[in-house]
Amino acid sequence: MVTGAVGVGLASGLASVGGVAAIAGAVVAVGIYWVVMRHVARRSMPEIAKSGAVTQTLFGVAIGFGFITVSMLMLLTEFSFDERPGNGLSIVASMAATSVGAAVTEELLFRGLALQALEKLCGSWAALTITAVLFGGLHLANPDATLWSSTAIAVEAGVLLGAAFLWKRNIWFVIGLHFAWNTTQGLIGIPVSGHASEA
């Protein structure tokens, strides 16, 4: 877990740059995860199997988009929307690339490495709780983060994403869910983990 966390953590630095670098960071992170699991942990990796990867990712995207859409519809009277100047396609592409980088690296770290390792040590419930708290705690480093916002992230995203992984045992599904959650929030102008939206 530690070896993988260091490697994927370094790749996440590249992923956080945004644009093409974010996509490259995501690809590098998957490669590092594969190498660590194959040569250090010496185990198979059904959670990142190529078979069904696209289907599982799209399934996660659909559920993530659905979660945010239903939440927005329930609170529609609380929001107002204004058109933002600039090239819409460029804004969406940049936001999607950044979301891919974050979703891939964070899911490999928290659900691929930490949750699975902790689950073997102390069981599923404890692993889910610990990784959710760590996930929320990590977001304290984001701009404008507060203890309240990080607690909310731990509960709403840390628990949701951990439970989703325990349900499907598939990283691609959780990456799709995470990606859709972040991208949809960004597109409607809600700050994503403390980062102001470009849309």
Side-chain angles (χ1 to χ4, degrees), residues 121-191:
L121 290 174
C122 51
S124 300
W125 286 106
L128 178 60
T129 302
I130 294 166
T131 53
V133 170
L134 290 173
F135 189 71
L138 175 75
H139 287 81
L140 271 172
N142 289 352
D144 300 319
T146 64
L147 186 57
W148 171 249
S149 69
S150 294
T151 301
I153 288 171
V155 173
E156 69 182 20
V159 172
L160 170 69
L161 294 167
F165 179 78
L166 292 172
W167 172 42
K168 299 294 288 181
R169 297 286 174 176
N170 189 289
I171 288 289
W172 305 118
F173 171 72
V174 188
I175 285 171
L177 178 57
H178 193 151
F179 166 81
W181 184 286
N182 284 2
T183 304
T184 307
Q185 277 190 318
L187 288 174
I188 58 181
I190 297 173

Side-chain angles (χ1 to χ4, degrees), residues 17-37:
V17 172
V20 176
I23 304 296
V27 171
V28 169
V30 172
I32 291 170
Y33 182 87
W34 187 90
V35 168
V36 168
M37 288 302 188

Side-chain angles (χ1 to χ4, degrees), residues 50-104:
K50 291 179 184 177
S51 174
V54 173
T55 305
Q56 289 295 325
T57 303
L58 292 176
F59 184 32
V61 167
I63 290 178
F65 178 75
F67 279 164
I68 297 297
T69 302
V70 169
S71 299
M72 286 297 298
L73 290 173
M74 290 169 59
L75 299 170
L76 200 54
T77 57
E78 303 296 321
F79 294 93
S80 62
F81 299 96
D82 296 311
E83 187 174 347
R84 179 129 183 200
N87 184 316
L89 185 59
S90 170
I91 291 170
V92 171
S94 173
M95 191 178 302
T98 301
S99 293
V100 165
V104 171

Side-chain angles (χ1 to χ4, degrees), residues 103-119:
V104 171
T105 56
E106 289 179 13
E107 292 314 312
L108 290 174
L109 280 169
F110 286 94
R111 266 54 71 173
L113 293 162
L115 191 145
Q116 292 190 93
L118 289 167
E119 186 180 26

